[in-house]
PDB file of all heavy atoms in Angstrom:
ATOM      1  N   SER A   1      86.299 109.549  96.431  1.00  0.00           N
ATOM      2  CA  SER A   1      86.742 108.199  95.868  1.00  0.00           C
ATOM      3  C   SER A   1      86.573 107.228  96.922  1.00  0.00           C
ATOM      4  O   SER A   1      86.798 105.966  96.702  1.00  0.00           O
ATOM      5  CB  SER A   1      88.189 108.273  95.475  1.00  0.00           C
ATOM      6  OG  SER A   1      89.033 108.585  96.531  1.00  0.00           O
ATOM      7  N   LEU A   2      86.130 107.474  98.182  1.00  0.00           N
ATOM      8  CA  LEU A   2      86.120 106.443  99.205  1.00  0.00           C
ATOM      9  C   LEU A   2      84.817 106.585 100.051  1.00  0.00           C
ATOM     10  O   LEU A   2      84.873 106.822 101.226  1.00  0.00           O
ATOM     11  CB  LEU A   2      87.298 106.526 100.103  1.00  0.00           C
ATOM     12  CG  LEU A   2      87.508 105.278 100.954  1.00  0.00           C
ATOM     13  CD1 LEU A   2      87.772 103.996 100.138  1.00  0.00           C
ATOM     14  CD2 LEU A   2      88.727 105.455 101.885  1.00  0.00           C
ATOM     15  N   HIS A   3      83.626 106.666  99.319  1.00  0.00           N
ATOM     16  CA  HIS A   3      82.364 106.622 100.023  1.00  0.00           C
ATOM     17  C   HIS A   3      82.093 107.831 100.817  1.00  0.00           C
ATOM     18  O   HIS A   3      81.102 107.890 101.639  1.00  0.00           O
ATOM     19  CB  HIS A   3      82.224 105.415 100.979  1.00  0.00           C
ATOM     20  CG  HIS A   3      82.253 104.060 100.261  1.00  0.00           C
ATOM     21  ND1 HIS A   3      81.351 103.730  99.257  1.00  0.00           N
ATOM     22  CD2 HIS A   3      83.042 103.069 100.482  1.00  0.00           C
ATOM     23  CE1 HIS A   3      81.604 102.535  98.837  1.00  0.00           C
ATOM     24  NE2 HIS A   3      82.665 102.020  99.591  1.00  0.00           N
ATOM     25  N   GLY A   4      82.808 108.865 100.582  1.00  0.00           N
ATOM     26  CA  GLY A   4      82.639 110.020 101.353  1.00  0.00           C
ATOM     27  C   GLY A   4      83.174 109.957 102.779  1.00  0.00           C
ATOM     28  O   GLY A   4      82.844 110.709 103.773  1.00  0.00           O
ATOM     29  N   GLN A   5      83.953 108.836 103.130  1.00  0.00           N
ATOM     30  CA  GLN A   5      84.474 108.493 104.390  1.00  0.00           C
ATOM     31  C   GLN A   5      85.622 109.494 104.774  1.00  0.00           C
ATOM     32  O   GLN A   5      86.553 109.643 103.988  1.00  0.00           O
ATOM     33  CB  GLN A   5      84.897 107.129 104.476  1.00  0.00           C
ATOM     34  CG  GLN A   5      85.289 106.600 105.887  1.00  0.00           C
ATOM     35  CD  GLN A   5      85.514 105.061 105.836  1.00  0.00           C
ATOM     36  OE1 GLN A   5      84.578 104.319 105.691  1.00  0.00           O
ATOM     37  NE2 GLN A   5      86.791 104.710 106.079  1.00  0.00           N
ATOM     38  N   SER A   6      85.573 109.999 106.031  1.00  0.00           N
ATOM     39  CA  SER A   6      86.673 110.968 106.467  1.00  0.00           C
ATOM     40  C   SER A   6      88.022 110.373 106.669  1.00  0.00           C
ATOM     41  O   SER A   6      89.012 111.184 106.735  1.00  0.00           O
ATOM     42  CB  SER A   6      86.095 111.709 107.749  1.00  0.00           C
ATOM     43  OG  SER A   6      85.969 110.853 108.765  1.00  0.00           O
ATOM     44  N   LYS A   7      88.153 109.072 106.716  1.00  0.00           N
ATOM     45  CA  LYS A   7      89.381 108.398 106.957  1.00  0.00           C
ATOM     46  C   LYS A   7      89.513 107.232 106.050  1.00  0.00           C
ATOM     47  O   LYS A   7      88.591 106.516 105.967  1.00  0.00           O
ATOM     48  CB  LYS A   7      89.648 107.992 108.449  1.00  0.00           C
ATOM     49  CG  LYS A   7      89.812 109.166 109.409  1.00  0.00           C
ATOM     50  CD  LYS A   7      90.092 108.526 110.818  1.00  0.00           C
ATOM     51  CE  LYS A   7      90.293 109.664 111.794  1.00  0.00           C
ATOM     52  NZ  LYS A   7      90.464 109.108 113.181  1.00  0.00           N
ATOM     53  N   ASP A   8      90.677 107.037 105.476  1.00  0.00           N
ATOM     54  CA  ASP A   8      90.898 105.797 104.697  1.00  0.00           C
ATOM     55  C   ASP A   8      91.305 104.606 105.726  1.00  0.00           C
ATOM     56  O   ASP A   8      91.601 104.967 106.816  1.00  0.00           O
ATOM     57  CB  ASP A   8      91.829 105.894 103.593  1.00  0.00           C
ATOM     58  CG  ASP A   8      93.287 106.266 104.056  1.00  0.00           C
ATOM     59  OD1 ASP A   8      93.596 106.085 105.173  1.00  0.00           O
ATOM     60  OD2 ASP A   8      93.972 106.829 103.122  1.00  0.00           O
ATOM     61  N   ALA A   9      91.477 103.406 105.162  1.00  0.00           N
ATOM     62  CA  ALA A   9      91.721 102.276 106.002  1.00  0.00           C
ATOM     63  C   ALA A   9      93.195 102.452 106.590  1.00  0.00           C
ATOM     64  O   ALA A   9      93.319 102.060 107.787  1.00  0.00           O
ATOM     65  CB  ALA A   9      91.675 101.089 105.154  1.00  0.00           C
ATOM     66  N   LEU A  10      94.080 103.103 105.952  1.00  0.00           N
ATOM     67  CA  LEU A  10      95.452 103.248 106.466  1.00  0.00           C
ATOM     68  C   LEU A  10      95.393 104.203 107.686  1.00  0.00           C
ATOM     69  O   LEU A  10      96.026 103.877 108.760  1.00  0.00           O
ATOM     70  CB  LEU A  10      96.368 103.786 105.388  1.00  0.00           C
ATOM     71  CG  LEU A  10      97.896 103.942 105.868  1.00  0.00           C
ATOM     72  CD1 LEU A  10      98.499 102.646 106.160  1.00  0.00           C
ATOM     73  CD2 LEU A  10      98.658 104.621 104.695  1.00  0.00           C
ATOM     74  N   ALA A  11      94.671 105.224 107.617  1.00  0.00           N
ATOM     75  CA  ALA A  11      94.619 106.249 108.706  1.00  0.00           C
ATOM     76  C   ALA A  11      93.891 105.563 109.884  1.00  0.00           C
ATOM     77  O   ALA A  11      94.274 105.902 111.065  1.00  0.00           O
ATOM     78  CB  ALA A  11      93.822 107.444 108.230  1.00  0.00           C
ATOM     79  N   LYS A  12      92.981 104.730 109.637  1.00  0.00           N
ATOM     80  CA  LYS A  12      92.203 104.039 110.730  1.00  0.00           C
ATOM     81  C   LYS A  12      93.073 103.054 111.549  1.00  0.00           C
ATOM     82  O   LYS A  12      92.577 102.534 112.583  1.00  0.00           O
ATOM     83  CB  LYS A  12      90.915 103.405 110.186  1.00  0.00           C
ATOM     84  CG  LYS A  12      89.895 104.422 109.786  1.00  0.00           C
ATOM     85  CD  LYS A  12      88.757 103.871 108.983  1.00  0.00           C
ATOM     86  CE  LYS A  12      87.974 102.813 109.861  1.00  0.00           C
ATOM     87  NZ  LYS A  12      86.872 102.160 109.003  1.00  0.00           N
ATOM     88  N   THR A  13      94.189 102.651 110.908  1.00  0.00           N
ATOM     89  CA  THR A  13      94.996 101.706 111.665  1.00  0.00           C
ATOM     90  C   THR A  13      95.806 102.261 112.877  1.00  0.00           C
ATOM     91  O   THR A  13      96.420 101.538 113.580  1.00  0.00           O
ATOM     92  CB  THR A  13      95.957 100.937 110.674  1.00  0.00           C
ATOM     93  OG1 THR A  13      96.837 102.052 110.174  1.00  0.00           O
ATOM     94  CG2 THR A  13      95.253 100.211 109.611  1.00  0.00           C
ATOM     95  N   GLN A  14      95.897 103.573 112.972  1.00  0.00           N
ATOM     96  CA  GLN A  14      96.593 104.214 113.985  1.00  0.00           C
ATOM     97  C   GLN A  14      95.978 103.938 115.282  1.00  0.00           C
ATOM     98  O   GLN A  14      94.674 103.832 115.303  1.00  0.00           O
ATOM     99  CB  GLN A  14      96.656 105.712 113.724  1.00  0.00           C
ATOM    100  CG  GLN A  14      97.402 106.110 112.362  1.00  0.00           C
ATOM    101  CD  GLN A  14      98.645 105.449 112.132  1.00  0.00           C
ATOM    102  OE1 GLN A  14      99.544 105.517 112.945  1.00  0.00           O
ATOM    103  NE2 GLN A  14      98.847 104.813 110.895  1.00  0.00           N
ATOM    104  N   LEU A  15      96.706 103.877 116.347  1.00  0.00           N
ATOM    105  CA  LEU A  15      96.132 103.517 117.679  1.00  0.00           C
ATOM    106  C   LEU A  15      94.964 104.434 118.091  1.00  0.00           C
ATOM    107  O   LEU A  15      95.091 105.732 118.063  1.00  0.00           O
ATOM    108  CB  LEU A  15      97.225 103.625 118.742  1.00  0.00           C
ATOM    109  CG  LEU A  15      98.347 102.448 118.625  1.00  0.00           C
ATOM    110  CD1 LEU A  15      99.388 102.745 119.700  1.00  0.00           C
ATOM    111  CD2 LEU A  15      97.707 101.105 118.826  1.00  0.00           C
ATOM    112  N   GLY A  16      93.865 103.869 118.313  1.00  0.00           N
ATOM    113  CA  GLY A  16      92.678 104.627 118.895  1.00  0.00           C
ATOM    114  C   GLY A  16      92.081 105.535 117.764  1.00  0.00           C
ATOM    115  O   GLY A  16      91.240 106.363 118.029  1.00  0.00           O
ATOM    116  N   ALA A  17      92.451 105.271 116.555  1.00  0.00           N
ATOM    117  CA  ALA A  17      91.913 106.156 115.372  1.00  0.00           C
ATOM    118  C   ALA A  17      90.830 105.568 114.483  1.00  0.00           C
ATOM    119  O   ALA A  17      90.699 105.896 113.430  1.00  0.00           O
ATOM    120  CB  ALA A  17      93.088 106.620 114.507  1.00  0.00           C
ATOM    121  N   TRP A  18      90.071 104.711 115.127  1.00  0.00           N
ATOM    122  CA  TRP A  18      89.013 103.991 114.360  1.00  0.00           C
ATOM    123  C   TRP A  18      87.919 104.863 113.951  1.00  0.00           C
ATOM    124  O   TRP A  18      87.213 104.718 112.928  1.00  0.00           O
ATOM    125  CB  TRP A  18      88.483 102.834 115.156  1.00  0.00           C
ATOM    126  CG  TRP A  18      87.575 103.273 116.269  1.00  0.00           C
ATOM    127  CD1 TRP A  18      87.960 103.543 117.604  1.00  0.00           C
ATOM    128  CD2 TRP A  18      86.152 103.604 116.254  1.00  0.00           C
ATOM    129  NE1 TRP A  18      86.925 103.942 118.376  1.00  0.00           N
ATOM    130  CE2 TRP A  18      85.835 103.991 117.481  1.00  0.00           C
ATOM    131  CE3 TRP A  18      85.239 103.589 115.277  1.00  0.00           C
ATOM    132  CZ2 TRP A  18      84.507 104.408 117.863  1.00  0.00           C
ATOM    133  CZ3 TRP A  18      83.940 103.914 115.576  1.00  0.00           C
ATOM    134  CH2 TRP A  18      83.549 104.371 116.813  1.00  0.00           C
ATOM    135  N   GLU A  19      87.680 105.928 114.770  1.00  0.00           N
ATOM    136  CA  GLU A  19      86.402 106.812 114.584  1.00  0.00           C
ATOM    137  C   GLU A  19      86.505 107.566 113.202  1.00  0.00           C
ATOM    138  O   GLU A  19      87.533 107.994 112.814  1.00  0.00           O
ATOM    139  CB  GLU A  19      86.400 107.780 115.630  1.00  0.00           C
ATOM    140  CG  GLU A  19      85.111 108.715 115.573  1.00  0.00           C
ATOM    141  CD  GLU A  19      83.802 107.958 115.848  1.00  0.00           C
ATOM    142  OE1 GLU A  19      83.627 107.405 116.993  1.00  0.00           O
ATOM    143  OE2 GLU A  19      83.008 107.931 114.857  1.00  0.00           O
ATOM    144  N   TYR A  20      85.327 107.601 112.498  1.00  0.00           N
ATOM    145  CA  TYR A  20      85.302 108.265 111.261  1.00  0.00           C
ATOM    146  C   TYR A  20      83.885 108.788 110.965  1.00  0.00           C
ATOM    147  O   TYR A  20      83.014 108.481 111.685  1.00  0.00           O
ATOM    148  CB  TYR A  20      85.629 107.209 110.118  1.00  0.00           C
ATOM    149  CG  TYR A  20      84.609 106.140 109.979  1.00  0.00           C
ATOM    150  CD1 TYR A  20      83.602 106.203 109.101  1.00  0.00           C
ATOM    151  CD2 TYR A  20      84.712 105.064 110.676  1.00  0.00           C
ATOM    152  CE1 TYR A  20      82.648 105.264 109.010  1.00  0.00           C
ATOM    153  CE2 TYR A  20      83.868 103.958 110.684  1.00  0.00           C
ATOM    154  CZ  TYR A  20      82.745 104.020 109.767  1.00  0.00           C
ATOM    155  OH  TYR A  20      81.856 103.126 109.641  1.00  0.00           O
ATOM    156  N   ASP A  21      83.826 109.623 109.904  1.00  0.00           N
ATOM    157  CA  ASP A  21      82.441 110.167 109.574  1.00  0.00           C
ATOM    158  C   ASP A  21      82.237 109.852 108.089  1.00  0.00           C
ATOM    159  O   ASP A  21      83.227 109.571 107.336  1.00  0.00           O
ATOM    160  CB  ASP A  21      82.312 111.622 109.898  1.00  0.00           C
ATOM    161  CG  ASP A  21      80.983 112.170 109.666  1.00  0.00           C
ATOM    162  OD1 ASP A  21      79.980 111.431 109.648  1.00  0.00           O
ATOM    163  OD2 ASP A  21      80.840 113.405 109.516  1.00  0.00           O
ATOM    164  N   VAL A  22      81.057 109.918 107.627  1.00  0.00           N
ATOM    165  CA  VAL A  22      80.752 109.854 106.113  1.00  0.00           C
ATOM    166  C   VAL A  22      80.070 111.091 105.920  1.00  0.00           C
ATOM    167  O   VAL A  22      78.937 111.247 106.353  1.00  0.00           O
ATOM    168  CB  VAL A  22      79.869 108.639 105.773  1.00  0.00           C
ATOM    169  CG1 VAL A  22      79.481 108.692 104.370  1.00  0.00           C
ATOM    170  CG2 VAL A  22      80.644 107.365 106.076  1.00  0.00           C
ATOM    171  N   VAL A  23      80.727 111.969 105.095  1.00  0.00           N
ATOM    172  CA  VAL A  23      80.156 113.388 104.871  1.00  0.00           C
ATOM    173  C   VAL A  23      79.119 113.403 103.722  1.00  0.00           C
ATOM    174  O   VAL A  23      78.290 114.289 103.731  1.00  0.00           O
ATOM    175  CB  VAL A  23      81.314 114.321 104.543  1.00  0.00           C
ATOM    176  CG1 VAL A  23      82.342 114.353 105.707  1.00  0.00           C
ATOM    177  CG2 VAL A  23      81.979 113.979 103.309  1.00  0.00           C
ATOM    178  N   ALA A  24      79.084 112.423 102.896  1.00  0.00           N
ATOM    179  CA  ALA A  24      78.155 112.328 101.772  1.00  0.00           C
ATOM    180  C   ALA A  24      78.192 110.987 101.279  1.00  0.00           C
ATOM    181  O   ALA A  24      79.261 110.236 101.355  1.00  0.00           O
ATOM    182  CB  ALA A  24      78.412 113.432 100.691  1.00  0.00           C
ATOM    183  N   PRO A  25      77.160 110.422 100.566  1.00  0.00           N
ATOM    184  CA  PRO A  25      77.064 109.105  99.884  1.00  0.00           C
ATOM    185  C   PRO A  25      77.891 109.178  98.585  1.00  0.00           C
ATOM    186  O   PRO A  25      77.161 109.150  97.518  1.00  0.00           O
ATOM    187  CB  PRO A  25      75.656 108.847  99.824  1.00  0.00           C
ATOM    188  CG  PRO A  25      74.984 110.108  99.594  1.00  0.00           C
ATOM    189  CD  PRO A  25      75.735 111.148 100.452  1.00  0.00           C
ATOM    190  N   TYR A  26      79.170 109.255  98.651  1.00  0.00           N
ATOM    191  CA  TYR A  26      79.959 109.377  97.413  1.00  0.00           C
ATOM    192  C   TYR A  26      80.285 108.013  96.755  1.00  0.00           C
ATOM    193  O   TYR A  26      79.556 107.090  96.741  1.00  0.00           O
ATOM    194  CB  TYR A  26      81.254 110.111  97.642  1.00  0.00           C
ATOM    195  CG  TYR A  26      80.983 111.685  97.916  1.00  0.00           C
ATOM    196  CD1 TYR A  26      81.793 112.364  98.807  1.00  0.00           C
ATOM    197  CD2 TYR A  26      79.969 112.225  97.269  1.00  0.00           C
ATOM    198  CE1 TYR A  26      81.602 113.669  98.937  1.00  0.00           C
ATOM    199  CE2 TYR A  26      79.750 113.650  97.516  1.00  0.00           C
ATOM    200  CZ  TYR A  26      80.567 114.408  98.314  1.00  0.00           C
ATOM    201  OH  TYR A  26      80.400 115.702  98.553  1.00  0.00           O
ATOM    202  N   PHE A  27      81.435 107.898  96.152  1.00  0.00           N
ATOM    203  CA  PHE A  27      81.841 106.785  95.209  1.00  0.00           C
ATOM    204  C   PHE A  27      82.990 105.919  95.805  1.00  0.00           C
ATOM    205  O   PHE A  27      83.527 106.267  96.840  1.00  0.00           O
ATOM    206  CB  PHE A  27      82.150 107.435  93.841  1.00  0.00           C
ATOM    207  CG  PHE A  27      81.139 108.415  93.410  1.00  0.00           C
ATOM    208  CD1 PHE A  27      81.350 109.749  93.635  1.00  0.00           C
ATOM    209  CD2 PHE A  27      80.005 108.034  92.796  1.00  0.00           C
ATOM    210  CE1 PHE A  27      80.398 110.774  93.254  1.00  0.00           C
ATOM    211  CE2 PHE A  27      78.978 108.971  92.397  1.00  0.00           C
ATOM    212  CZ  PHE A  27      79.297 110.352  92.607  1.00  0.00           C
ATOM    213  N   LYS A  28      83.199 104.827  95.080  1.00  0.00           N
ATOM    214  CA  LYS A  28      84.253 103.898  95.528  1.00  0.00           C
ATOM    215  C   LYS A  28      85.179 103.682  94.337  1.00  0.00           C
ATOM    216  O   LYS A  28      84.857 102.890  93.422  1.00  0.00           O
ATOM    217  CB  LYS A  28      83.750 102.590  95.984  1.00  0.00           C
ATOM    218  CG  LYS A  28      84.786 101.582  96.492  1.00  0.00           C
ATOM    219  CD  LYS A  28      85.457 102.005  97.696  1.00  0.00           C
ATOM    220  CE  LYS A  28      86.216 100.796  98.425  1.00  0.00           C
ATOM    221  NZ  LYS A  28      87.192 100.208  97.658  1.00  0.00           N
ATOM    222  N   CYS A  29      86.352 104.351  94.274  1.00  0.00           N
ATOM    223  CA  CYS A  29      87.294 104.166  93.192  1.00  0.00           C
ATOM    224  C   CYS A  29      88.718 104.406  93.539  1.00  0.00           C
ATOM    225  O   CYS A  29      89.460 104.947  92.754  1.00  0.00           O
ATOM    226  CB  CYS A  29      86.795 105.081  91.944  1.00  0.00           C
ATOM    227  SG  CYS A  29      86.658 106.874  92.434  1.00  0.00           S
ATOM    228  N   ASN A  30      89.079 103.985  94.731  1.00  0.00           N
ATOM    229  CA  ASN A  30      90.425 104.130  95.180  1.00  0.00           C
ATOM    230  C   ASN A  30      91.324 103.165  94.490  1.00  0.00           C
ATOM    231  O   ASN A  30      91.068 102.042  94.041  1.00  0.00           O
ATOM    232  CB  ASN A  30      90.550 103.945  96.749  1.00  0.00           C
ATOM    233  CG  ASN A  30      89.942 102.593  97.219  1.00  0.00           C
ATOM    234  OD1 ASN A  30      88.756 102.325  96.922  1.00  0.00           O
ATOM    235  ND2 ASN A  30      90.694 101.822  97.840  1.00  0.00           N
TER     236      ASN A  30
END
């Protein structure tokens, strides 16, 4: 539901937690 991204925006707000991966070109329906 979030582009195959390994972290959502809330998780990325944690200190030093910007890093993420995209595991597959999925969808956007959050």
